[in-house]
Amino acid sequence: RVQAVTTLAASVAHELGNPLNIFDIHLQLMEREARKLRDSEGARLREAVKVSRQEVRRLDGIIKNFLRAIRPAPLQLRLASVNRIVRDAVDFLRPEIEARDLIVEMDLTDRLSRLMLDADQLRQAFLNIIKNAMQAMRTGGILRIRTEPDDDWVAVVFRDTGGGFDARALARRGDAFSSTKPEGTGLGLMVVSRIVRAHGGQLEIKSLPGIGAEMRVRLPKPGPHVKLLPAPVER
């Protein structure tokens, strides 16, 4: 029954993506036509189209996160640089970071060895963490990212200056549809947790309400002590 419901939910989510793409294409066409209008009516139309496109992108993001959560792809492990993956994630979000007037400070040590990683999936995990931090902070907020060797692990630490969250919210972090944001789904952190676990790693979360939050991703170094956890099997 669980497998049947999961398959049905995945099918519905996938089918919703097609009309959303069509909506976005038509909204882009409307946006081009609205630019030709110079009066107040044109300004209102452009604003309406802008808001509509933002909501379409938000829904598309929810669907993609949902599909990643319930249909995890197998890891494609290759030697990769954790620092490079961090930089790629930050560079991808750079326009939004600058638009929100946020500051990202990176302290990436050069003492890290390359690890066997799925770079694409780990980049997605870092993107979700950074987006969560961005949404938690106000204008002028600071996100500090550092990497460091930690015994048998490599740690990637994300610390923001947002509002943090209380103990009750902390206990439910990573649960689907549990979020401290009014429009949040909790799927983003659920995907992060799954990707980190699949790499045999650990996700640690600390929060000081009103001060900020810290997320530490610990990835195992190669060696006989490392045993990757198998990806969840759908039954």
Side-chain angles (χ1 to χ4, degrees):
R1 289 178 182 177
V2 172
Q3 183 177 6
V5 172
T6 300
T7 302
L8 176 61
S11 299
V12 172
H14 179 76
E15 290 303 317
L16 287 174
N18 294 327
L20 280 178
N21 289 332
I22 295 174
F23 288 157
D24 194 46
I25 291 172
H26 283 278
L27 286 169
Q28 290 181 53
L29 296 175
M30 292 173 62
E31 190 174 45
R32 293 176 187 174
E33 293 300 317
R35 288 176 186 155
K36 301 176 182 178
L37 304 175
R38 300 299 180 185
D39 55 11
S40 59
E41 289 294 329
R44 284 197 291 269
L45 179 58
R46 288 191 293 273
E47 181 62 24
V49 171
K50 177 183 176 182
V51 171
S52 298
R53 291 198 67 194
Q54 288 174 343
E55 289 303 298
V56 167
R57 287 194 292 268
R58 186 174 71 85
L59 290 172
D60 186 57
I62 291 174
I63 290 172
K64 288 178 179 178
N65 271 335
F66 178 73
L67 289 174
R68 290 190 191 102
I70 66 174
R71 294 195 311 192
L75 296 182
Q76 303 295 324
L77 298 175
R78 294 181 178 85
L79 277 175
S81 165
V82 174
N83 287 346
R84 170 52 58 190
I85 297 173
V86 171
R87 291 192 185 97
D88 287 347
V90 172
D91 288 343
F92 182 83
L93 292 172
R94 184 73 65 184
E96 187 175 351
I97 291 169
E98 294 176 351
R100 291 172 175 260
D101 197 20
L102 301 173
I103 299 172
V104 176
E105 298 178 350
M106 290 189 287
D107 180 14
L108 309 181
T109 179
D110 58 3
R111 295 182 291 114
L112 296 185
S113 56
R114 290 159 65 87
L115 304 179
M116 292 296 293
L117 304 168
D118 186 317
D120 290 337
Q121 290 201 39
L122 196 60
R123 185 182 301 109
Q124 183 61 48
F126 291 167
L127 285 171
N128 284 350
I129 292 174
I130 295 171
K131 285 181 180 179
N132 275 352
M134 291 168 57
Q135 293 167 359
M137 295 187 292
R138 298 180 179 179
T139 299
I142 302 174
L143 172 62
R144 296 181 174 90
I145 307 174
R146 72 178 187 272
T147 56
E148 57 189 29
D150 179 13
D151 297 329
D152 296 328
W153 308 82
V154 166
V156 187
V157 184
F158 303 81
R159 188 178 182 89
D160 65 57
T161 56
F165 33 84
D166 58 26
R168 181 178 179 183
L170 180 60
R172 300 184 61 189
R173 299 295 284 184
D175 291 350
F177 306 109
S178 173
S179 175
T180 57
K181 299 185 289 291
E183 297 181 351
T185 62
L187 291 172
L189 195 54
M190 183 178 175
V191 171
V192 172
S193 181
R194 179 189 60 75
I195 292 173
V196 172
R197 285 200 312 269
H199 280 85
Q202 300 173 355
L203 176 64
E204 301 172 355
I205 305 174
K206 297 180 182 178
S207 174
L208 295 174
I211 297 177
E214 178 181 290
M215 294 196 183
R216 179 183 294 263
V217 175
R218 303 177 73 212
L219 300 167
K221 294 179 181 179
H225 56 278
V226 174
K227 180 179 180 182
L228 293 180
L229 299 179
V233 177
E234 294 185 4
R235 298 183 182 277

